[in-house]
């Protein structure tokens, strides 16, 4: 008898996919000028159920910004929303929750420090609220993944250290019902 061994080798190469870099020129709401679609470094992009994209924060020329913009892929328009983030931030996460609200967590603020305040956005009425002091560890450059049971898995990134930011290999679970 003989044994047949086979192996499949998967080579994972770091690939940066920037969905907004694939866009054609867009029309900014209220304007007839064509503008190229570019992302802002550190900006979050959240896909909404109606296929629109919510673009939040990022790093502007003067540091982190609090902008909130909606991109409609059907009309190819960007619309500046009537609300902004309460805390300017870049390299944060913005996760769509089952109730349609969006949890904005972490990131780097204008002072160069990690933002410890979480915000809950309600895009349709155009409202935002600051969540009570969170039990979550402040982070930036992290991931936030919605689990099938409605909880959020927040992992990795960097967190405040004694003298500077440090890698955070930990993960935490956040339940929207606990807000």
């Amino acid at each position: 008898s003989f044994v047949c061994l086979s192996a499949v080798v998967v080579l994972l190469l770091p690939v940066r996919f920037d969905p907004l870099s694939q866009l054609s020129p867009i029309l900014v709401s209220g304007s007839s000028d064509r503008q190229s679609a570019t992302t802002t470094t550190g900006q979050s992009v959240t896909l909404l159920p109606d296929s629109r994209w919510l673009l939040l924060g990022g790093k502007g020329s003067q540091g982190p910004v609090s902008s909130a913009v909606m991109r409609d892929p059907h009309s190819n328009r960007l619309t500046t929303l009537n609300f902004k983030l309460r805390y300017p931030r870049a390299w944060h996460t913005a996760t769509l929750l089952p109730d349609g609200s969006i949890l904005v967590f972490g990131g780097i603020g204008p002072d160069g420090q990690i933002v410890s305040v979480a915000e809950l956005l309600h895009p349709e009425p155009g409202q935002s609220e600051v969540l009570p002091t969170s039990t979550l560890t402040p982070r930036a450059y992290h991931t936030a993944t919605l689990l099938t049971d409605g909880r959020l898995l927040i992992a990795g990134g960097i967190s405040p250290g004694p003298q500077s930011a440090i890698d955070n290999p930990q993960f935490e679970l956040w339940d929207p019902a606990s807000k």
Side-chain angles (χ1 to χ4, degrees):
S1 88
F2 68 93
V3 175
C4 179
L5 297 175
S6 64
V8 175
V9 177
V10 177
L11 181 60
L12 297 175
L13 299 174
V15 175
R16 181 176 180 265
F17 176 70
D18 179 358
L20 293 182
S21 69
Q22 308 301 314
L23 299 177
S24 59
I26 54 175
L27 285 174
V28 176
S29 183
S31 167
S32 60
D33 295 335
R34 303 291 282 181
Q35 296 186 3
S36 62
T38 58
T39 57
T40 300
T41 302
Q43 182 179 59
S44 64
V45 179
T46 305
L47 179 63
L48 301 178
D50 63 1
S51 77
R52 292 180 302 159
W53 296 0
L54 178 62
L55 299 93
L56 297 171
K59 186 175 182 216
S61 60
Q62 302 296 314
V65 297
S66 59
S67 63
V69 176
M70 192 73 70
R71 179 183 183 273
D72 184 338
H74 302 295
S75 67
N76 218 17
R77 289 185 181 270
L78 285 181
T79 304
T80 300
L81 300 179
N82 61 357
F83 69 93
K84 295 181 176 187
L85 294 172
R86 293 187 184 205
Y87 293 86
R89 55 182 89 210
W91 298 286
H92 56 281
T93 54
T95 309
L96 179 65
L97 301 176
D99 68 356
S101 62
I102 296 166
L103 177 71
V104 180
F105 180 70
I108 304 291
D111 59 359
Q113 300 298 311
I114 296 173
V115 179
S116 61
V117 178
E119 298 180 54
L120 197 59
L121 303 181
H122 307 281
E124 284 313 310
Q127 299 173 340
S128 69
E129 62 183 289
V130 174
L131 292 180
T133 304
S134 174
T135 58
L136 296 172
T137 304
R139 312 168 180 252
Y141 304 99
H142 58 287
T143 64
T145 306
L146 183 65
L147 303 176
T148 56
D149 65 2
R151 293 181 300 164
L152 198 60
L153 173 66
I154 300 172
I158 60 171
S159 291
Q163 297 176 341
S164 64
I166 57 172
D167 289 338
N168 186 340
Q170 305 296 317
F171 70 90
E172 298 174 279
L173 290 172
W174 181 75
D175 187 347
S178 69
K179 62 179 177 173

